[in-house]
């Protein structure tokens, strides 16, 4: 049992803690622990390591003794201090680190860490608890403790503290897709090191994809001889250009079974379970390319996919396919001792099944409702096989479609709905909704970031995620095992790009899945994060630096003025800015509150600490006109492309050529019409509108724009019109045509945009007709 603090010590600790205020500066600067412990009571003083410090550990507990020796070895490596490891006896414990194992009475991950100026005492009921206690101790030490070589000039000391800690959730996961891009064994180990540092206990290894099969299967060597290699790879974003461009370079790689076992053992030493994913019945292109008999198309000549997306070639639900999958999974189980085997189950198009007589006859024979029922049959049959071997399946939430397998655990990615449905039906759930847990999205302004799949998921949004949906009762909520962040690598071709996308958002996810909900505090987390960046540096991990950069936010005031707010996640930073397009210095204006813009301007800003720029300066252009903040109506609504808000055309923010979500779309070869009420008559003589050409999205410049004006909103007169030539570029192109006319007093403006007509016939999405994308409109 974990010992309870005496009333005196609780009172003393609470008095000291409140004296510094909740989540006080002392706590932020000395106790930079991520994830933050369940209970932390600061004490006075610190413990200093010296050449006489010893480690006391019971010799009859080999797993705990191994952890104690690892700590001693690491301290010797970086500090030169040799901490003798001795058998624990209750005699002189001064100047020692004590490992005291207690009987297991509850959570094996629970521990206490008590640090006084005299000694460090760690108590836990299982090796797992000792391991997590050491992770906390490491984080209290200087970041150099994570290094791989001796360092000088470091004071090796930790602040006095009393910590009682245990995780909120039993499943705390990070995922890595190695199918789209392959990463070497040494990087996988480094990735696992970062997970262990943040007390994750599950590594979800996505090993098979349309674009590559990455694990050796001895019975089926063609899976790696053919399936691990693709002829070339798509260049840039999927919708960057039309026609799409490819690099012409063969790409491949796979892990031998020996390497996979090495990874499993490496993770086990860090109390992380590796959960392999073998995708089925969809995302099977690489497997079918290797063994065409797996397809519903007898003469299949499909090749390993060279671009991203969802493909129609899926496993055919016949006996030969199931024998193949059982053989594969048998070898997988021999490599991976995990309780769970992830079987995918997502994004399985039913086109082949609908057209295959064999599949339709099977649906009739099994009296299934439809192809969703056939997928359910497929998954259940695989589950029965794995259950017979003592394993359980995890599947993406599509396994709910057509009826869930009896013992399946659901990984809810398409929002919370799948997790809610599964929990209410009594199934265990791991929450990983894309909006909060998909680390392939942008984490800062897309114009300043490497290309991603799209979307927006900044650090703060991850941190504020709550895994247990409010729709669940307390009992139903017990089925939520935990949460996981997913790192899909379509746009992460290098280890550095994975690091940039996964970290530091993994730090936020760690606190979401470990820390008590009532302890979560964004400002306190931000105060602790600079220390985590130092730890990442010692692990040779290069996280995104967006934490240290300025963020721009806008607001339209009641009197229709555009205000720009400058923010930085590093709360101790000073922000300096200018509007002269120059790199800011500390001599430029100090940001103290929202800046009101009375004309179109580019704001350039940077965050500083102690007079030094923390990372880089960023610029953002804002359009200000007589239409700023004005409401408008449009003749056609497009729920996919609405600009992100109801005032996207007059909010001062212009669209860019990296993401489509800031653009307002009018689709299917339709003409567009926008009407703005300026509230009172005003003289105008100039008008502009932002337009986008994106051939891969079937977005084309309008053939013509016309501007009309009115005093009463009924009778309009033509102010100006302009013909626009079609773009010849295959890539995204942004223009801002401007039209001028004699000064005219009007209250209402009507913008008409004439569609360019059908999309090019060879565009695979041409059936929808061309769309018009526009952004900020302005009048002067």
């Amino acid at each position: 049992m974990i010992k309870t603090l005496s009333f005196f010590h609780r009172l003393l600790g609470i008095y000291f803690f409140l004296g510094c205020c909740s989540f006080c500066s002392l706590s932020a600067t000395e106790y930079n622990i991520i994830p933050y412990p369940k209970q932390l009571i600061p004490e006075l003083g610190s413990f200093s390591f010296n050449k006489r410090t010893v480690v006391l550990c019971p010799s009859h507990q080999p797993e705990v003794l191994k952890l104690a020796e690892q700590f001693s070895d690491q301290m010797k490596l970086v500090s030169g201090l040799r901490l003798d490891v001795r058998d624990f006896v209750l005699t002189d414990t001064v100047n020692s680190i004590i490992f005291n194992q207690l009987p297991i009475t509850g959570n094996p991950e629970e521990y206490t860490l008590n640090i006084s100026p005299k000694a460090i005492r760690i108590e836990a009921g299982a090796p797992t608890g000792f391991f997590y206690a050491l992770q906390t101790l490491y984080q209290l030490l200087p970041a150099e403790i994570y290094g791989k070589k001796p360092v000088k000039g470091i004071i090796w000391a930790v602040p006095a503290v009393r910590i009682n800690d245990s995780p909120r959730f039993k499943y705390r996961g990070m995922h890595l897709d190695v199918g789209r891009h392959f990463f070497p064994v040494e990087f996988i180990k480094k990735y696992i090191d970062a997970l262990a540092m943040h007390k994750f206990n599950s590594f979800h290894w996505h090993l098979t994809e349309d674009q590559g099969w990455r694990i050796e299967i001895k019975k089926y060597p063609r899976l790696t001889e053919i399936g691990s290699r693709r002829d070339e790879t798509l260049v840039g974003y999927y919708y960057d250009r039309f026609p799409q461009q490819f690099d012409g370079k063969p790409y491949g790689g796979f892990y031998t079974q020996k390497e996979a076992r090495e990874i499993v053992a490496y993770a086990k030493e860090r109390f992380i379970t590796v959960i392999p994913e073998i995708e089925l019945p969809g995302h099977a292109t690489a497997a079918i390319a290797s063994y065409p008999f797996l397809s519903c198309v007898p003469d299949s000549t499909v090749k390993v996919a060279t671009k991203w997306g969802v493909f129609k070639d899926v496993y055919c639900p016949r006996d030969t396919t199931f024998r193949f999958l059982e053989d594969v999974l048998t070898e997988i189980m021999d490599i991976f001792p995990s309780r769970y085997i992830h079987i995918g189950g997502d994004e399985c198009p039913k086109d082949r099944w609908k057209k295959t007589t064999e599949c339709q006859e099977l649906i009739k024979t099994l009296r299934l409702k439809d192809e969703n029922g056939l997928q359910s049959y497929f998954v259940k049959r695989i589950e029965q096989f794995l259950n017979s071997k003592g394993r359980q399946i995890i599947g993406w939430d599509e396994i709910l479609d057509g009826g869930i397998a009896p013992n399946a655990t659901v990984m809810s990615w398409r929002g919370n709905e799948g997790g809610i449905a599964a929990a209410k039906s009594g199934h265990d759930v791991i929450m990983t909704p894309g909006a909060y847990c998909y680390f392939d999205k942008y984490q800062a302004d897309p114009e300043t970031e490497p290309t991603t799949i799209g979307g927006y998921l900044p650090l703060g949004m991850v941190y504020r995620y709550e895994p247990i949906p409010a729709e669940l009762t307390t009992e139903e909520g017990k089925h939520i095992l935990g949460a996981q962040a997913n790192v899909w690598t379509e746009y992460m071709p290098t280890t550095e790009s994975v690091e940039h996308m996964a970290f530091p958002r993994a730090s936020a996810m760690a606190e979401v899945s470990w820390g008590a909900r009532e302890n979560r505090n964004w400002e306190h987390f931000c105060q602790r994060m600079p220390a985590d960046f130092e730890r990442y540096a010692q692990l040779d991990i290069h996280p995104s630096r967006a934490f240290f950069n300025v963020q721009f936010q806008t607001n339209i005031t009641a009197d229709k003025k555009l205000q720009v707010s400058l923010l930085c996640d590093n709360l101790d930073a000073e922000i300096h800015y200018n509007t002269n397009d120059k790199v800011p210095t500390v001599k430029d204006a100090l940001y103290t509150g929202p800046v009101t813009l009375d004309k179109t301007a580019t704001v350039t800003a940077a965050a500083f600490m102690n007079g030094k720029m923390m990372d880089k300066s960023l610029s953002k252009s804002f359009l200000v006109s007589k239409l700023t903040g004005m409401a408008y109506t449009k003749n056609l609504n497009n729920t996919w492309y609405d600009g992100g808000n109801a005032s996207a055309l007059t909010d001062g923010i212009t669209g860019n050529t990296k993401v489509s979500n800031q653009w307002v779309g009018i689709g299917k070869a339709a003409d567009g019409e926008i009407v703005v009420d300026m509230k009172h008559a005003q003289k105008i003589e100039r008008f502009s509108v932002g337009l986008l050409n994106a051939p891969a999205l079937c977005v084309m410049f309008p053939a013509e724009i016309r501007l009309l004006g009115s005093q009463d909103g009924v009778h309009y007169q033509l102010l100006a019109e302009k013909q626009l030539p079609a773009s010849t570029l295959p890539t995204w192109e942004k223009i801002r045509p401007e039209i001028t006319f004699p000064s005219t007093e009007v209250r209402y403006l009507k913008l008409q945009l004439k569609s360019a007509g059908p999309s090019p016939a060879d565009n695979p999405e041409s059936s929808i007709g061309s769309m018009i994308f526009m952004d900020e409109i302005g009048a002067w």
Side-chain angles (χ1 to χ4, degrees), residues 220 234 372 509:
Y220 298 100
L234 179 71
N372 283 334
M509 182 54 66

Side-chain angles (χ1 to χ4, degrees), residues 276-567:
E277 180 177 2
I278 305 298
E279 276 272 22
L280 58 92
H283 289 287
T285 306
I288 292 171
S290 307
Y291 293 97
F293 73 83
L294 299 170
S295 171
C296 286
V297 181
D299 59 346
S300 175
T301 56
V302 66
K303 291 187 175 183
V304 179
T306 58
K307 61 182 180 181
W308 324 126
V310 177
F311 299 87
K312 294 179 181 179
D313 287 287
V314 302
Y315 289 121
C316 198
R318 61 168 69 101
D319 287 343
T320 51
T321 301
F322 288 114
R323 281 197 294 271
F324 165 83
L325 289 170
E326 288 174 3
D327 290 341
V328 167
L329 290 170
T330 296
E331 292 195 32
I332 289 295
M333 287 186 285
D334 188 56
I335 301 166
F336 299 93
S338 56
R339 174 191 177 193
Y340 289 113
I341 303 293
H342 202 301
I343 53 85
D346 64 314
E347 297 177 329
C348 178
K350 310 300 190 296
D351 304 64
R352 299 286 188 256
W353 293 357
K354 288 178 180 179
K355 295 179 181 179
T356 303
T357 302
E358 185 179 357
C359 293
Q360 293 305 306
E361 289 178 351
L362 185 59
I363 289 173
K364 291 179 182 179
T365 300
L366 297 174
R367 297 182 180 180
L368 303 174
K369 182 179 179 181
D370 53 20
E371 288 75 19
N372 283 334
L374 187 56
Q375 176 166 337
S376 177
Y377 160 77
F378 199 116
V379 171
K380 288 177 181 177
R381 184 159 170 175
I382 294 298
E383 184 194 47
Q384 289 172 0
F385 172 74
L386 289 172
N387 286 171
S388 73
K389 306 298 181 182
R391 306 298 182 92
Q392 291 192 324
I393 69 166
I394 299 176
W396 302 108
D397 57 44
E398 284 95 331
I399 66 172
L400 291 164
D401 301 342
I404 187 172
N407 304 310
T409 294
V410 173
M411 199 165 266
S412 185
W413 73 277
R414 295 178 298 176
N416 284 340
E417 292 76 16
I420 293 169
K424 284 184 175 293
S425 65
H427 285 268
D428 287 341
V429 178
I430 297 162
M431 297 301 292
T432 181
Y436 298 94
C437 302
Y438 270 44
F439 288 1
D440 54 351
K441 300 178 186 290
Y442 285 104
Q443 56 196 309
D445 186 337
E447 292 186 275
T448 69
E449 287 285 296
T451 297
T452 77
I453 201 166
Y456 183 59
L457 181 56
L459 184 68
M461 194 169 171
V462 177
Y463 189 81
R464 294 180 178 94
Y465 173 58
E466 170 48 44
I468 300 182
E471 294 87 343
L472 298 181
T473 65
T474 301
E475 282 302 307
E476 291 166 345
K478 292 178 181 178
H479 285 290
I480 306 298
L481 301 182
Q484 175 176 291
N486 298 323
V487 182
W488 301 104
T489 62
E490 288 95 332
Y491 300 100
M492 303 178 210
T494 65
T495 57
E496 290 79 8
S497 56
V498 171
E499 292 170 7
H500 179 88
M501 298 298 288
F503 308 106
R505 288 186 286 192
S507 302
M509 182 54 66
E511 197 141 307
V512 167
S513 56
W514 176 283
R517 184 177 184 181
E518 60 272 18
N519 280 356
R520 262 195 274 159
N521 180 292
W522 169 244
E523 289 73 22
H524 184 232
F525 175 77
C526 289
Q527 289 175 320
R528 287 178 277 128
M529 271 306 301
D532 221 32
F533 278 94
E534 294 179 15
R535 293 189 278 262
Y536 281 130
Q538 291 295 323
L539 292 180
D540 193 30
I541 285 175
H542 306 86
S544 164
R545 300 280 295 175
F547 179 86
F548 298 103
N549 289 327
V550 174
Q551 304 159 28
F552 299 85
Q553 290 186 359
T554 58
N555 175 58
I556 304 295
T557 64
D559 58 349
K560 306 302 181 186
K561 299 293 185 182
L562 178 64
Q563 283 188 337
V564 178
S565 295
L566 306 178
L567 309 172

Side-chain angles (χ1 to χ4, degrees), residues 6-231:
S6 70
F7 176 78
F8 172 77
H9 280 106
R10 286 178 180 274
L11 188 62
L12 178 64
I14 291 171
Y15 174 81
F16 181 76
F17 195 65
L18 292 178
C20 300
C21 85
S22 181
F23 294 127
C24 56
S25 59
L26 174 65
S27 179
T29 56
E30 287 200 273
Y31 306 104
N32 294 312
I33 304 165
I34 296 176
Y36 200 71
K38 186 175 182 179
Q39 182 189 50
L40 184 154
I41 300 176
E43 298 280 356
L44 295 174
S46 61
F47 177 87
S48 296
F49 292 82
N50 56 56
K51 61 184 179 181
R52 290 181 296 277
T53 303
V54 296
V55 177
L56 303 178
C57 181
S59 58
H60 63 283
Q61 300 290 344
E63 288 186 88
V64 180
L65 180 61
K66 183 177 180 180
L67 292 172
E69 290 171 342
Q70 287 173 349
F71 176 79
S72 176
D73 291 344
Q74 183 63 19
M75 181 62 78
K76 180 183 178 183
L77 171 65
V78 295
S79 73
L81 296 173
R82 182 184 180 88
L83 308 183
D84 286 341
V85 179
R86 303 173 183 173
D87 196 9
F88 176 39
V89 290
L90 292 173
T91 55
D92 184 12
T93 58
V94 175
N95 196 18
S96 61
I97 301 97
I98 305 158
F99 288 73
N100 185 31
Q101 183 153 8
L102 304 174
I104 299 179
T105 58
N107 187 343
E109 296 181 314
E110 184 178 17
Y111 70 89
T112 64
L113 174 63
N114 296 322
I115 301 175
S116 73
K118 293 183 177 181
I120 297 173
R121 188 178 187 90
I122 301 171
E123 294 185 334
T128 317
F130 284 103
F131 179 79
Y132 291 137
L134 283 174
Q135 302 317 301
T136 299
L137 181 58
Y138 280 130
Q139 291 197 11
L140 290 171
L141 282 159
E144 287 78 5
I145 188 65
Y146 292 97
K148 297 180 180 180
K149 59 184 180 180
V151 287
K152 296 181 179 180
I154 302 295
I155 298 175
W156 297 102
V158 288
V161 68
R162 299 172 74 83
I163 292 173
N164 288 337
D165 200 12
S166 61
R168 180 186 179 194
F169 293 107
K170 64 170 125 180
Y171 185 100
R172 305 177 302 279
M174 283 290 293
H175 155 287
L176 182 62
D177 163 23
V178 297
R180 276 57 177 253
H181 284 102
F182 175 80
F183 307 103
V185 169
E186 288 309 308
F187 174 74
I188 303 297
K189 290 180 178 179
K190 183 165 68 167
Y191 192 80
I192 288 171
D193 285 340
L195 305 194
M197 182 173 79
H198 292 98
K199 301 185 176 75
F200 287 99
N201 64 359
S202 299
F203 170 45
H204 174 176
W205 204 4
H206 187 84
L207 288 166
T208 69
E209 257 305 336
D210 296 298
Q211 297 80 14
W213 184 284
R214 304 295 180 209
I215 181 70
E216 176 190 22
I217 301 298
K218 294 184 182 296
K219 189 167 184 177
Y220 298 100
R222 288 167 63 90
L223 287 172
T224 47
E225 291 171 359
I226 294 174
S228 71
R229 304 170 185 174
R230 57 179 180 258
D231 292 341

